[in-house]
Amino acid sequence: MVYAGVNSELANGSVDRKVDDSAVRTQLERIRTSPDFHVPERARSFLTYIVEQTLAGRADRIKAYSIATEVFGRDATFDAQNDPIVRIEAGRIRQALEKYYLTAGTDDPIRIGIPKGGYVPTFEKNPAAVATTAVDLRDAPPRSAVPGAGYMKNAFLAHPFFIATAVLFLAVVAGYLLPFPAGGRNAASAEQMTKRELQAPKLQVEQFEDLAGTSNSAIVARGLTEELVGQLARFREITVLAPSKAGEPLGTIASGDDPPRFRLEGSVRTSADRLRLVARLVEIGDDQIIWSNIYDEKLDVRQLVELQESLARDVSLALAQPYGIIFRSDADAPKQVPPGDWQAYECTLAYYTYRVELKPETHDSIQQCLTRTTQKFPGYATAWALLSLTYSDEVRFKYRLGTNDPTSLTQAVAMAERAKDADPANVRGLEAMMIALYLSGRVEEALAIGKEGYEKNPNDMEFAGEYGNRLALSGSWTEGCAMMLEARNSSSAPPGYFEVPLAVCAYMQGNYQAAEDWIKVAPATGNPVYHFVAAAIAGQLGNRSDIENSRSWIESHAPLMLQNIRREVAMRIIQPEDQELFLDGLHKAGMAAEGVRSQ
């Protein structure tokens, strides 16, 4: 049961005494002292503060202002709209808690969480610590509970391979599991198509049950099911089997094909002014519930369509987007894949691990692995897309430091074309093309590709974040930065590379303190761009130690980028006035002044 669970800063401070205060404090100390809870000390203080305030019945006082002044030492002029420090640290704690409960805290008796949209914590008994047979979904966590809290299989969560590669599987975008199209110059053979279909995670959507038994509630149940099918089908990483009017799956599974591995089912109950949706994801092989949630919303007939769309989006984001429940729960699938295919799949997993921190040490091996994969599977669209991105990385991150090879972008565009030929709707292919064209100076074409990909699936948070970044850097800062922030906050397991561009967003707004807060939580410290952004911010703030650290790193690891800083900035930031603002910070940091001043 959840207590003090509110999804906004307007906490009511209600307490469910079924969760004992002492048990919550014991759990808090267990988390704080665990080596698997990876946050700085100020984040631990943040968590302690909001838990103790809630236990003391002061949940209504937990606001960004009180946290900033009482925990982070901000003065009375603190403005949450211009200083995102509290939101950033809350996001960091949410991610750390999620990873903690996937590893060391799997069997802890109490789950502590911070719902998105607010800072009041929730406390609930951990379903994984009690018997998970005969689960009654009416007692499942409400929508205001910890995002993603549900019923995970202990065997999966305790799997040593999962634990050892937690970051990898949280970052998986199972692009390799996409079925090939029938046409195209590089279309796969029928045999390859069959292999791909066998591997694709298949999701059977059942017609949601109408519990109210009225004509209106039946319409709502049917509408929600159809909206869910439509939104889930946008994710080409999975195969969606929809219910027919008779309640049977649309189409049939060909002889020899794998049946669906997952089933999405649930129920809808409506009253005069409320709509309650219960949804659960079941692994069909053993009927084990691996995720469930309850969505309780105000029902306004005039806004019913919008409500259905919103609920369907929330469910599809939780299940099918990159980093979602389906791909995290598919750890056993590779065992059924032929060895050659598994090696190719490993390449895609390794790419996403590399992308979290973008370290140059792993770039070359990832590129070689993807090259071998595309040679073996020339119709594998996602592999071509990821290979294209590695060539774009050579230019934007100067990974091949001894050269300034102009052919890298040419190769990046060509490989993105191969991805498009294999599957025109592959979002990773569109992402690769957008970035390659942008770096080539073809900004309008790149943004057109970005718009196309976003319209194909606005729920793909990785693509939305990358598109938002291109919009921002091209001058649409308000729209692009908002899109990136939404992508970061909406992803169930953010990949960690949005913090640097969000630091640039704050910098361009003149909020250098917020920019510093963003760059301090960014994980990509092995990447040259990280250090250029950090240097510009430190230059504006006059922080000499950070200036020296960034300059020293760049001089040691990316000296080629110092040869023409103006060109490097112009390749990324399009508008001249924006370039000058960023260069001003570098100039104040004392970096290659002759290359920074206006010519």
Side-chain angles (χ1 to χ4, degrees), residues 462-480:
E462 180 182 347
F463 188 93
E466 286 285 13
Y467 176 42
N469 193 19
R470 305 307 136 192
L471 282 173
L473 292 172
S474 64
S476 299
W477 292 102
T478 300
E479 180 183 3

Side-chain angles (χ1 to χ4, degrees), residues 239-567:
T239 299
V240 179
L241 303 178
S244 68
K245 291 183 179 180
E248 298 296 332
L250 286 178
T252 59
I253 301 174
S255 176
D257 278 0
D258 286 344
R261 293 191 61 235
F262 302 100
R263 180 175 70 248
L264 177 61
E265 59 187 28
S267 61
V268 177
R269 184 189 299 275
T270 60
S271 62
D273 61 349
R274 305 297 300 177
L275 184 151
R276 184 179 177 89
L277 166 65
V278 176
R280 62 181 178 181
L281 184 70
V282 179
E283 186 155 14
I284 293 175
D286 56 8
D287 279 336
Q288 188 83 0
I289 299 172
I290 59 177
W291 172 87
S292 71
N293 211 348
I294 291 178
Y295 303 86
D296 196 353
E297 299 288 343
K298 181 179 179 181
L299 179 60
D300 185 339
V301 176
R302 294 169 298 180
Q303 298 178 337
L304 182 58
V305 173
E306 290 82 357
L307 177 59
Q308 289 180 167
E309 290 177 351
S310 175
L311 288 172
R313 180 179 185 271
D314 286 352
V315 175
S316 63
L317 277 172
L319 299 184
Q321 73 158 320
Y323 330 113
I325 297 297
I326 287 178
F327 300 117
R328 278 187 264 169
S329 302
D330 206 26
D332 291 333
K335 297 178 182 178
Q336 307 166 7
V337 180
D341 294 2
W342 171 232
Q343 291 169 8
Y345 182 54
E346 278 186 316
C347 283
T348 63
L349 299 184
Y351 171 84
Y352 290 110
T353 302
Y354 143 79
R355 191 165 185 189
V356 172
E357 296 183 341
L358 295 170
K359 290 183 176 179
E361 302 89 79
T362 56
H363 171 266
D364 192 56
S365 62
I366 296 297
Q367 191 177 82
Q368 291 181 25
C369 186
L370 289 168
T371 298
R372 292 192 297 270
T373 298
T374 54
Q375 290 170 349
K376 184 172 184 179
F377 301 102
Y380 183 176
T382 297
W384 282 113
L386 301 185
L387 184 57
S388 169
L389 288 169
T390 68
Y391 278 94
S392 289
D393 288 352
E394 290 184 5
V395 176
R396 56 178 172 169
F397 303 138
K398 292 295 183 292
Y399 281 151
R400 298 190 185 278
L401 298 178
T403 67
N404 225 338
D405 190 351
T407 65
S408 294
L409 287 179
T410 302
Q411 291 173 298
V413 172
M415 292 167 187
E417 289 283 4
R418 294 293 297 269
K420 182 179 179 181
D421 287 345
D423 182 357
N426 185 293
V427 175
R428 297 287 81 74
L430 294 172
E431 179 182 335
M433 181 64 78
M434 173 181 66
I435 292 174
L437 291 176
Y438 187 94
L439 294 174
S440 300
R442 297 158 63 178
V443 176
E444 290 187 6
E445 294 177 67
L447 295 181
I449 292 288
K451 182 179 179 181
E452 176 187 350
Y454 185 70
E455 289 175 348
K456 285 183 183 299
N457 190 356
N459 292 341
D460 188 316
M461 292 296 106
E462 180 182 347
F463 188 93
E466 286 285 13
Y467 176 42
N469 193 19
R470 305 307 136 192
L471 282 173
L473 292 172
S474 64
S476 299
W477 292 102
T478 300
E479 180 183 3
C481 293
M483 191 176 291
M484 276 191 289
L485 187 60
E486 180 186 7
R488 181 186 185 274
N489 292 340
S490 297
S491 180
S492 59
Y497 51 77
F498 290 146
E499 283 83 355
V500 173
L502 284 169
V504 176
C505 284
Y507 180 99
M508 289 299 172
Q509 295 170 350
N511 191 339
Y512 303 124
Q513 183 59 61
E516 183 184 55
D517 291 336
W518 277 115
I519 204 68
K520 293 293 186 184
V521 299
T525 55
N527 186 271
V529 171
Y530 168 94
H531 290 280
F532 272 95
V533 174
I537 295 168
Q540 296 291 2
L541 292 174
N543 189 327
R544 302 311 306 175
S545 62
D546 285 351
I547 289 173
E548 291 305 318
N549 288 338
S550 293
R551 287 180 58 184
S552 176
W553 191 98
I554 294 168
E555 289 169 358
S556 299
H557 297 87
L560 189 65
M561 296 186 75
L562 294 172
Q563 293 180 5
N564 193 330
I565 295 178
R566 179 170 293 278
R567 180 186 62 198

Side-chain angles (χ1 to χ4, degrees), residues 107-289:
D107 297 317
D108 286 3
I110 303 295
R111 292 186 67 103
I112 298 177
I114 307 175
K116 291 182 179 180
Y119 309 115
V120 177
T122 59
F123 315 131
E124 62 171 333
K125 293 180 179 179
N126 185 7
V130 298
T132 57
T133 57
V135 175
D136 186 347
L137 290 181
R138 288 173 295 180
D139 291 331
R143 191 176 188 184
S144 60
V146 182
Y151 304 95
M152 293 290 193
K153 293 173 62 178
N154 288 339
F156 164 66
L157 295 176
H159 195 290
F161 180 72
F162 173 80
I163 295 173
T165 58
V167 174
L168 179 149
F169 272 96
L170 288 174
V172 165
V173 179
Y176 182 58
L177 306 179
L178 291 174
F180 285 132
R185 294 199 306 267
N186 299 300
S189 65
E191 180 181 357
Q192 289 172 321
M193 291 174 65
T194 300
K195 285 184 179 180
R196 298 295 297 284
E197 287 290 347
L198 286 171
Q199 295 171 55
K202 293 186 177 71
L203 173 64
Q204 173 68 65
V205 180
E206 299 288 352
Q207 174 64 51
F208 277 23
E209 183 181 3
D210 167 28
L211 297 182
T214 67
S215 58
N216 289 338
S217 61
I219 292 173
V220 172
R222 187 71 187 178
L224 263 172
T225 306
E226 292 177 353
E227 184 66 33
L228 256 173
V229 169
Q231 294 214 26
L232 287 166
R234 292 184 175 188
F235 290 96
R236 296 178 63 83
E237 289 88 350
I238 64 174
T239 299
V240 179
L241 303 178
S244 68
K245 291 183 179 180
E248 298 296 332
L250 286 178
T252 59
I253 301 174
S255 176
D257 278 0
D258 286 344
R261 293 191 61 235
F262 302 100
R263 180 175 70 248
L264 177 61
E265 59 187 28
S267 61
V268 177
R269 184 189 299 275
T270 60
S271 62
D273 61 349
R274 305 297 300 177
L275 184 151
R276 184 179 177 89
L277 166 65
V278 176
R280 62 181 178 181
L281 184 70
V282 179
E283 186 155 14
I284 293 175
D286 56 8
D287 279 336
Q288 188 83 0
I289 299 172

Side-chain angles (χ1 to χ4, degrees), residues 33-73:
T33 58
S34 172
D36 293 284
F37 185 57
H38 300 293
V39 296
E41 186 56 37
R42 70 176 183 179
R44 296 173 193 271
S45 299
F46 183 151
L47 181 61
T48 300
Y49 173 81
I50 61 176
V51 168
E52 290 296 343
Q53 289 282 38
T54 302
L55 294 179
R58 295 191 291 270
D60 58 328
R61 294 175 53 184
I62 299 177
K63 302 180 185 297
Y65 181 85
S66 63
I67 296 169
T69 55
E70 297 182 36
V71 179
F72 298 143

